[in-house]
Amino acid sequence: MEFDSALKQLLEKETRQSTRVIYMLWDILKEPTKILQALGDKVTKRGRERYIVGRVKGLHDFWDDLSNSPPSNIMRTQFNRLFPKRSEDKTWESGRKLAEAVNAGLSL
Protein backbone atom coordinates (compact mmCIF):
# COMPACT_ATOMS: atom_id res chain seq x y z
CA MET A 1 0.00 0.00 0.00
CA GLU A 2 2.83 2.39 0.82
CA PHE A 3 4.45 1.57 -2.49
CA ASP A 4 1.25 2.30 -4.38
CA SER A 5 0.79 5.58 -2.47
CA ALA A 6 4.37 6.70 -3.20
CA LEU A 7 3.99 5.75 -6.86
CA LYS A 8 0.71 7.67 -7.08
CA GLN A 9 2.33 10.78 -5.55
CA LEU A 10 5.26 10.52 -7.93
CA LEU A 11 2.98 10.25 -10.92
CA GLU A 12 0.94 13.27 -9.74
CA LYS A 13 4.11 15.35 -9.44
CA GLU A 14 5.32 14.32 -12.87
CA THR A 15 1.93 15.05 -14.39
CA ARG A 16 1.72 18.42 -12.65
CA GLN A 17 5.17 19.49 -13.86
CA SER A 18 4.50 18.61 -17.46
CA THR A 19 1.19 20.45 -17.45
CA ARG A 20 2.93 23.44 -15.88
CA VAL A 21 5.45 23.42 -18.71
CA ILE A 22 2.64 23.26 -21.24
CA TYR A 23 0.82 26.14 -19.56
CA MET A 24 4.03 28.16 -19.38
CA LEU A 25 4.67 27.56 -23.05
CA TRP A 26 1.12 28.56 -23.88
CA ASP A 27 1.46 31.80 -21.90
CA ILE A 28 4.63 32.59 -23.82
CA LEU A 29 3.43 31.55 -27.26
CA LYS A 30 -0.07 33.02 -27.21
CA GLU A 31 1.32 36.58 -27.60
CA PRO A 32 4.44 36.38 -29.77
CA THR A 33 4.54 40.12 -30.43
CA LYS A 34 5.12 40.84 -26.76
CA ILE A 35 7.92 38.29 -26.72
CA LEU A 36 9.57 39.85 -29.75
CA GLN A 37 9.18 43.32 -28.28
CA ALA A 38 10.73 42.30 -24.95
CA LEU A 39 13.54 40.43 -26.71
CA GLY A 40 14.22 43.38 -29.02
CA ASP A 41 14.31 45.78 -26.07
CA LYS A 42 16.82 43.59 -24.21
CA VAL A 43 19.05 43.18 -27.26
CA THR A 44 18.96 46.93 -27.94
CA LYS A 45 19.75 47.76 -24.32
CA ARG A 46 22.69 45.35 -24.26
CA GLY A 47 23.99 46.71 -27.56
CA ARG A 48 23.87 50.28 -26.29
CA GLU A 49 25.65 49.31 -23.09
CA ARG A 50 28.40 47.54 -25.03
CA TYR A 51 28.78 50.53 -27.35
CA ILE A 52 29.11 52.97 -24.45
CA VAL A 53 31.49 50.74 -22.50
CA GLY A 54 33.60 50.23 -25.62
CA ARG A 55 33.87 53.95 -26.23
CA VAL A 56 34.87 54.62 -22.64
CA LYS A 57 37.46 51.84 -22.74
CA GLY A 58 38.83 53.26 -25.99
CA LEU A 59 39.08 56.73 -24.51
CA HIS A 60 40.78 55.34 -21.42
CA ASP A 61 43.26 53.41 -23.56
CA PHE A 62 43.94 56.52 -25.67
CA TRP A 63 44.73 58.63 -22.60
CA ASP A 64 46.81 55.83 -21.10
CA ASP A 65 48.88 55.57 -24.29
CA LEU A 66 49.18 59.33 -24.46
CA SER A 67 50.38 59.59 -20.88
CA ASN A 68 52.94 56.81 -21.39
CA SER A 69 54.26 58.09 -24.72
CA PRO A 70 57.46 60.09 -24.92
CA PRO A 71 57.29 63.88 -25.37
CA SER A 72 56.97 65.28 -28.89
CA ASN A 73 60.54 66.61 -29.07
CA ILE A 74 61.91 63.11 -28.38
CA MET A 75 59.58 61.65 -31.00
CA ARG A 76 60.70 64.27 -33.50
CA THR A 77 64.36 63.42 -32.83
CA GLN A 78 63.70 59.71 -33.30
CA PHE A 79 61.70 60.39 -36.47
CA ASN A 80 64.57 62.51 -37.84
CA ARG A 81 66.98 59.66 -37.11
CA LEU A 82 64.81 57.26 -39.10
CA PHE A 83 64.26 59.65 -41.98
CA PRO A 84 67.18 62.06 -42.19
CA LYS A 85 65.76 63.88 -45.21
CA ARG A 86 62.72 65.81 -44.17
CA SER A 87 60.67 68.58 -45.65
CA GLU A 88 61.24 72.16 -44.74
CA ASP A 89 58.98 73.91 -42.25
CA LYS A 90 57.49 75.89 -45.13
CA THR A 91 56.16 72.65 -46.66
CA TRP A 92 54.65 71.56 -43.35
CA GLU A 93 52.99 74.94 -42.95
CA SER A 94 51.49 74.68 -46.44
CA GLY A 95 50.15 71.23 -45.58
CA ARG A 96 48.60 72.55 -42.38
CA LYS A 97 46.87 75.36 -44.30
CA LEU A 98 45.59 72.89 -46.88
CA ALA A 99 44.19 70.65 -44.13
CA GLU A 100 42.42 73.63 -42.54
CA ALA A 101 40.90 74.59 -45.91
CA VAL A 102 39.71 71.03 -46.54
CA ASN A 103 38.22 70.77 -43.03
CA ALA A 104 36.45 74.11 -43.46
CA GLY A 105 34.99 72.89 -46.76
CA LEU A 106 33.78 69.63 -45.19
CA SER A 107 31.97 71.34 -42.33
CA LEU A 108 29.64 73.20 -44.72
Side-chain angles (χ1 to χ4, degrees), residues 1 4 6 11-12 15 19 23 28 34 48 50 56 61 64 75 78 83 90 98 103 107-108:
M1 234 172 142
D4 289 337
L11 287 174
E12 285 177 1
T15 306
T19 55
Y23 289 141
I28 292 171
K34 286 186 179 180
R48 285 182 182 149
R50 280 185 161 180
V56 170
D61 291 344
D64 190 43
M75 290 302 294
Q78 290 176 354
F83 305 102
K90 212 173 171 183
L98 176 65
N103 284 338
S107 64
L108 292 176

Side-chain angles (χ1 to χ4, degrees), residues 54-72:
R55 289 192 65 163
V56 170
K57 281 183 181 177
L59 187 61
H60 180 268
D61 291 344
F62 172 75
W63 283 111
D64 190 43
D65 288 344
L66 193 61
S67 68
N68 292 329
S69 66
S72 61

Side-chain angles (χ1 to χ4, degrees), residues 38-48:
L39 182 65
D41 289 344
K42 285 191 178 214
V43 168
T44 303
K45 182 180 178 186
R46 179 163 285 173
R48 285 182 182 149

